[in-house]
Amino acid sequence: MPTLSKQTLNPRKLPKQTRSAATVSAILEATIQVLLREGKEKLTTTLVAQRAGVSVGTLYQYFPNKSALLREVLRRHLSEVAEAVNRVCQEQRGARPEAMGKALVRGFLAAKLRDVKTSAALYSVGSDVDGMKIARQVGARSSRAIETMLESASEPLAVDAGTAATMLYGVLSGVGRTLVESPERVSPGVREELEQMVCSYLRSLRVKNAR
């Protein structure tokens, strides 16, 4: 598969006015709707423009092609999950490690599983639009937020907060993807098991530190 250039993948311009932002949001929402209805192979800029209620010319003012559209909806989706993680990390600063762990699991899964069909559809386009790079960038932001939260814990950890944050985010993202790809496994029991796993890990670090 030929490598897509940055110009091919990136938006032409970013919206600066409220009206422009609303137009871009409508285009991206339409992209998701067409993706869910038609699949990535049949998705076209014409179908997206029709669904969004704009002309193809208007769409091209912001996105040069289908790849740029798909890349942006994937980036926004992952960024929304990262924002949910960041909010939890802000709210839990200074808390006990186990409380941090429970809140982190609940916030992450709530954002990740809010719309499982959309999440699964966006995973399917990742390989076409440099999705791994986007995931690494967004994941790095989430890991830093978790690290900062852990550094503020009321009970210090036995390991470097950055190491613990990497472990936690790796577990969350791995389980999250598994649930998105196998939605029949989504249940309250899964969340509880993940909470127990994360809290046990954090508790073990706290216990080691106390010895």
Side-chain angles (χ1 to χ4, degrees):
M1 179 183 294
T3 302
L4 295 173
S5 67
K6 289 185 178 180
Q7 185 175 5
T8 300
L9 289 171
N10 290 336
R12 289 187 188 277
K13 65 179 181 179
L14 297 176
K16 296 181 179 180
Q17 299 179 348
T18 302
R19 184 175 179 181
S20 296
T23 298
V24 169
S25 293
I27 290 171
L28 295 177
E29 181 59 32
T31 301
I32 293 173
Q33 292 172 3
V34 174
L35 177 64
L36 291 173
R37 186 181 64 193
E38 303 291 344
K40 67 177 181 179
E41 300 302 332
K42 293 183 178 180
L43 183 146
T44 66
T45 53
T46 299
L47 285 176
V48 170
Q50 290 174 349
R51 183 71 177 178
V54 301
S55 68
V56 175
T58 296
L59 184 151
Y60 284 147
Q61 288 180 23
Y62 299 100
F63 302 99
N65 50 45
K66 168 181 172 177
S67 294
L69 277 172
L70 292 175
R71 186 177 195 274
E72 184 61 12
V73 293
L74 176 60
R75 187 196 67 77
R76 286 203 176 190
H77 168 72
L78 294 177
S79 293
E80 287 172 1
V81 176
E83 283 302 314
V85 169
N86 186 62
R87 284 194 298 273
V88 169
C89 291
Q90 292 282 349
E91 293 167 357
Q92 293 296 316
R93 286 188 180 183
R96 295 177 65 248
E98 292 93 328
M100 290 177 171
K102 285 185 178 181
L104 189 58
V105 169
R106 292 175 183 179
F108 178 85
L109 289 184
K112 198 70 176 176
L113 304 179
R114 180 173 60 85
D115 188 338
V116 175
K117 289 184 179 180
T118 296
S119 296
L122 292 176
Y123 272 132
S124 74
V125 307
S127 60
D128 301 324
V129 294
D130 204 9
M132 286 295 293
K133 181 178 180 180
I134 302 172
R136 284 195 300 269
Q137 292 171 341
V138 174
R141 295 207 308 269
S142 293
S143 291
R144 284 195 297 272
I146 296 171
E147 178 181 358
T148 301
M149 176 185 69
L150 293 176
E151 287 174 341
S152 75
S154 61
E155 298 167 334
L157 304 180
V159 301
D160 174 72
T163 300
T166 298
M167 294 295 294
L168 290 175
Y169 186 73
V171 169
L172 290 175
S173 58
V175 172
R177 177 151 192 168
T178 297
L179 294 177
V180 166
E181 294 177 341
S182 304
E184 69 278 2
R185 297 183 181 181
V186 177
S187 69
V190 170
R191 191 195 72 184
E192 292 170 3
E193 289 293 321
L194 185 56
E195 284 182 12
Q196 183 176 353
M197 179 187 300
V198 167
C199 290
S200 294
Y201 171 64
L202 291 173
R203 190 180 302 113
S204 73
L205 298 182
R206 176 173 56 82
V207 170
K208 288 178 183 178
N209 190 70
R211 290 175 180 175

